[in-house]
Amino acid sequence: MADPPPAALAGAALDQLFREARTQYDWDCRPLPEGTIEALYDLLKLGPTSANCSPARFLFCASAEARARLAACVAEGNRAKVLAAPVTVIIGMDMAFPEHLPFLFPHADAKSWFEGNAALIRDTAFRNASLQGGYLILAARALGLDCGPMSGFDKAAVDAAFWAGTSVETNFLCSLGYGTGKNVFPRAPRLPFDEACQIL
Amino acid sequence: MADPPPAALAGAALDQLFREARTQYDWDCRPLPEGTIEALYDLLKLGPTSANCSPARFLFCASAEARARLAACVAEGNRAKVLAAPVTVIIGMDMAFPEHLPFLFPHADAKSWFEGNAALIRDTAFRNASLQGGYLILAARALGLDCGPMSGFDKAAVDAAFWAGTSVETNFLCSLGYGTGKNVFPRAPRLPFDEACQIL
């Protein structure tokens, strides 16, 4: 007989992760406490990816220079947010991730699965780097940070300004810090269970 | 002055979500408690997506018939897992998600952003349904369930067997239940901080 399953997390934890967490649009100037970014990576890196391929790469824009460089590449409505948040992370996806598979997945020759298959590489990088972006958002909330994920930016400009000469492309952006709550929308509706789900 | 940030979750919660959670390969026969799937959706649906587009659709294969139908479409190494787990969810992405934007994002005419732009629709559906898949995995763990995400399946076969006549395509699969711990690999290495991250 297996052990009983661990209980669900307490309601306050579910609130912090999901039910009361809201995308922030305005940021307090407090910096992140020393070591927060490393603690964030130490959690999110443990989330599962296909064959442990871990294709996401993370550029944490924290200096005034890096934030200004990024702000120049985002949609006008996102510019002030990137300048105000203490950190905005660029979540990238490394199209050369198969090179790391002999280290990341020692159980099998997973690198060979991808050889000569650019479409599989791209799909795997995009799916798994996005999953890792989801782990980042929830790990940040678990550490007591607010998040402001953004898709409104010029991908070619961010790629050129931050990933030039690498095999990495931008997936999306996420501000991290302490939101003021200003300009937060009332919670928008979600699809009811029966429109999004079926139990077969 | 803003309120101080909420504290990080307790170490035991971080363990349950990230540090001690492991992808499961063998499943106890216990079914999920009544209402678990609905509770899972009620959490994961709250995770952020671009313009609240919420493109993921979820088919929870719980009956013996549905599990057998799905098992016939997966890689041989995943077949026994799908048959043994009490539920395996097919995470799909609805390419017609813009139709729901007037309801989901009443703040702006987001539907018009996607008109005639099939590449943007596909990228947005894939990125955001993958994010929602990440929210599903962490919401399941938060509820005390184990997860077994899988990419090894015949996408065309799953699409034909489960989404025929719809605008939904399969993204990935995830078993849900109570793992026995059997055949769980030792934790595979992750990229060190300096290989995956930079602070700029």
Side-chain angles (χ1 to χ4, degrees):
Chain A
M1 183 74 191
D3 294 329
L9 297 184
L14 301 179
D15 288 345
Q16 183 167 329
L17 291 168
F18 291 104
R19 294 190 298 221
E20 293 183 359
R22 302 296 313 282
T23 290
Q24 297 294 316
Y25 296 88
D26 185 66
W27 299 91
D28 193 287
C29 59
R30 271 178 292 173
L32 305 191
E34 185 77 24
T36 300
I37 291 173
E38 291 81 355
L40 177 61
Y41 179 67
D42 277 345
L43 289 176
L44 81 90
K45 73 181 182 185
L46 298 176
T49 55
S50 169
N52 194 33
C53 64
S54 309
R57 302 291 178 266
F58 305 95
L59 292 181
F60 293 90
C61 296
S63 67
E65 183 280 323
R67 288 187 280 161
R69 183 150 49 111
L70 181 57
C73 306
V74 303
E76 199 174 324
N78 287 331
R79 206 154 289 161
K81 298 185 243 171
V82 169
L83 293 173
V87 171
T88 296
V89 53
I90 306 170
I91 294 116
M93 41 196 177
D94 188 353
M95 299 303 167
F97 74 83
E99 301 301 318
H100 295 278
L101 286 172
F103 169 73
L104 291 170
F105 197 67
H107 320 291
D109 178 17
K111 186 181 169 189
S112 68
W113 306 344
F114 295 94
E115 266 158 28
N117 195 336
L120 180 64
I121 289 172
R122 175 161 289 273
D123 272 12
T124 303
F126 195 16
R127 174 183 301 109
N128 287 281
S130 300
L131 280 174
Q132 291 184 277
Y135 305 149
L136 176 140
I137 289 169
L138 290 174
R141 290 175 171 180
L143 291 176
L145 302 176
D146 288 311
C147 294
M150 289 173 276
S151 287
F153 58 89
D154 179 338
K155 176 177 181 293
V158 179
D159 285 353
F162 289 93
W163 304 113
T166 76
S167 47
V168 184
E169 296 181 23
T170 305
N171 187 340
F172 71 99
L173 313 179
C174 186
S175 292
L176 300 171
Y178 306 103
T180 64
K182 191 177 151 194
N183 298 332
V184 167
F185 291 120
R187 172 82 82 184
R190 298 304 198 266
L191 295 175
F193 184 86
D194 291 347
E195 286 188 37
C197 305
Q198 271 186 272
I199 301 176
L200 301 177
Chain B
M1 181 77 192
D3 294 329
L9 298 182
L14 301 179
D15 289 345
Q16 183 168 329
L17 291 167
F18 292 104
R19 294 190 297 221
E20 292 183 0
R22 301 298 312 281
T23 290
Q24 296 294 316
Y25 296 88
D26 186 65
W27 298 92
D28 193 287
C29 58
R30 270 177 292 173
L32 304 192
E34 186 77 23
T36 301
I37 290 173
E38 292 81 355
L40 176 62
Y41 179 67
D42 276 345
L43 289 177
L44 81 88
K45 73 181 182 186
L46 298 175
T49 55
S50 170
N52 195 34
C53 63
S54 310
R57 303 291 179 266
F58 304 96
L59 292 181
F60 293 90
C61 297
S63 67
E65 183 279 322
R67 288 187 279 161
R69 184 152 46 112
L70 181 58
C73 306
V74 304
E76 200 176 325
N78 287 331
R79 208 155 286 161
K81 297 185 244 172
V82 170
L83 293 172
V87 172
T88 297
V89 54
I90 305 171
I91 295 115
M93 41 196 177
D94 189 353
M95 299 303 167
F97 73 84
E99 300 301 319
H100 296 277
L101 287 172
F103 169 72
L104 291 170
F105 197 68
H107 322 290
D109 178 17
K111 186 181 169 190
S112 68
W113 306 344
F114 295 94
E115 267 158 27
N117 195 337
L120 180 64
I121 289 173
R122 175 159 289 272
D123 271 12
T124 303
F126 195 16
R127 174 183 301 110
N128 287 281
S130 300
L131 279 174
Q132 290 184 277
Y135 305 150
L136 176 140
I137 290 169
L138 291 174
R141 290 175 171 180
L143 291 176
L145 302 176
D146 289 311
C147 295
M150 288 174 277
S151 287
F153 59 89
D154 179 338
K155 175 177 181 295
V158 178
D159 285 354
F162 289 92
W163 304 113
T166 77
S167 48
V168 185
E169 297 181 22
T170 305
N171 188 338
F172 71 99
L173 312 179
C174 187
S175 293
L176 301 170
Y178 306 103
T180 65
K182 191 177 151 192
N183 298 333
V184 168
F185 291 120
R187 172 81 83 184
R190 297 304 198 267
L191 295 175
F193 184 86
D194 291 346
E195 286 188 37
C197 305
Q198 271 187 273
I199 301 176
L200 300 178

